[in-house]
Amino acid sequence: MLRMSKIHKWFGKLHVLKDVNLDVKEGEVIVIIGASGSGKSTFLRCINFLEEAEKGVVQFRGKPILKNRNLTGIRKEIGMVFQHFNLFPHMNVLHNVMEGPVHTRHMSPHDAEKLARGLLEKVGLSDKAKVYPSTLSGGQKQRVAIARALAMQPSVLLFDEPTSALDPELVGEVVSVMKDLANEGMTMIVVTHEMWFAREAADRVVFMDEGTIIEEAPPEKMFSEPENERTKQFLKQIL
Ligand code: ADP
Ligand code: MG
């Protein structure tokens, strides 16, 4: 489904991604872990071209993504959920979720509303359709953000620390929605520190350090017998 080959990214003189390679199959759930500043967000952003890698190729379903040619189409296929929700404050929850389908997918408002209501039910927020984001808890906001991303009917969803801005007691409701998606076969690349999500939902865990992928393994292996010394050190700190 996705293949990132030899990705390099610089911010000025800072070499942030150094030859990063990752293949993601349809239906796979990849969890990326690593210390702050190791390049996880930049890597996710390079996948859907929120940042442009200076070197390397991103392929989607076997074809390279070309910035000037097929980027708009690709953005519909590769959704993203951010740490800070980024909901539209002047729109109610229902309209937040309908916005993408109506304006980008040119769906009729009637169909978009039906889709949006279905997705709000899926994330457990049917009763919040008509309220404004400012009245929601962080966990509810993030579930709306997930519904909004799903409304674009993407093939892949990228999550960048979706629970890091939440109070601890609100993490579970968001991770549980993510687990449902994983169980339904959604292809996902998730940067997170929630190791129980990684244990229960990930097919592979990828450890990034200083802009490179140091090690990747299924969660059982990664957490019980990591091979690289730096992986061991990092896991010791967080587990
Ligand atoms: P992570 O998500 O793993 O914490 P990031 O991808 O955010 O790491 O950052 C990797 C490195 O790139 C850091 O040193 C960070 O300061 C730097 N960086 C990230 N975004 C920018 C930017 N827009 N301009 C300059 N440097 C950046
Ligand atoms: Mg980050």
Side-chain angles (χ1 to χ4, degrees):
M1 170 93 70
L2 272 176
R3 166 168 290 173
M4 279 68 74
S5 313
K6 304 187 166 157
I7 303 289
H8 287 261
K9 173 75 193 167
W10 283 265
F11 287 116
K13 286 191 175 157
L14 191 63
H15 197 180
V16 180
L17 296 176
K18 304 166 187 164
D19 193 35
V20 181
N21 298 277
L22 186 70
D23 272 3
V24 184
K25 294 191 194 71
E26 181 141 20
E28 255 193 319
V29 177
I30 309 284
V31 165
I32 302 180
I33 60 175
S36 175
S38 57
K40 306 179 299 295
S41 295
T42 305
F43 181 54
L44 279 192
R45 295 166 65 82
C46 283
I47 296 174
N48 68 354
F49 283 68
L50 287 176
E51 297 286 356
E52 197 177 358
E54 277 83 18
K55 278 171 78 180
V57 181
V58 183
Q59 284 179 289
F60 177 72
R61 295 194 195 278
K63 296 202 183 97
I65 301 176
L66 301 171
K67 195 175 178 224
N68 299 322
R69 198 132 24 103
N70 54 0
L71 193 54
T72 317
I74 290 295
R75 288 248 171 88
K76 295 175 193 165
E77 299 286 345
I78 307 178
M80 185 143 173
V81 175
F82 301 90
Q83 184 176 353
H84 294 290
F85 333 124
N86 302 355
L87 297 176
F88 306 118
H90 58 290
M91 288 182 194
N92 70 25
V93 163
L94 184 67
H95 284 115
N96 262 277
V97 181
M98 287 170 59
E99 167 74 16
V102 170
H103 285 103
T104 315
R105 290 229 179 240
H106 309 296
M107 198 181 268
S108 74
H110 177 267
D111 290 348
E113 177 168 347
K114 213 168 132 195
L115 172 69
R117 287 195 183 273
L119 289 169
L120 287 175
E121 189 176 339
K122 187 186 177 76
V123 300
L125 291 172
S126 298
D127 56 330
K128 299 290 185 191
K130 289 294 167 74
V131 311
Y132 282 81
S134 60
T135 67
L136 299 176
S137 73
Q140 291 169 331
K141 282 181 194 163
Q142 194 57 298
R143 285 186 284 148
V144 175
I146 293 173
R148 189 179 58 175
L150 289 172
M152 294 295 286
Q153 301 174 296
S155 308
V156 183
L157 263 187
L158 313 177
F159 292 82
D160 193 2
E161 302 204 29
T163 60
S164 301
L166 301 179
D167 291 333
E169 72 274 19
L170 303 178
V171 168
E173 65 193 62
V174 172
V175 174
S176 129
V177 166
M178 290 165 61
K179 267 185 65 185
D180 290 346
L181 285 176
N183 289 334
E184 288 164 18
M186 176 60 93
T187 309
M188 298 161 67
I189 307 178
V190 183
V191 174
T192 186
H193 301 296
E194 297 304 324
M195 291 304 133
W196 57 279
F197 175 78
R199 278 179 204 282
E200 292 181 24
D203 295 294
R204 271 185 293 151
V205 179
V206 169
F207 173 59
M208 276 187 81
D209 190 42
E210 295 183 6
T212 45
I213 293 178
I214 298 278
E215 184 163 357
E216 54 173 279
E220 317 80 68
K221 168 133 192 340
M222 183 65 99
F223 296 134
S224 62
E225 37 180 346
E227 285 176 6
N228 188 283
E229 212 40 57
R230 281 193 271 175
T231 320
K232 287 179 194 169
Q233 284 304 321
F234 177 75
L235 289 173
K236 217 183 272 174
Q237 287 161 21
I238 59 160
L239 290 179

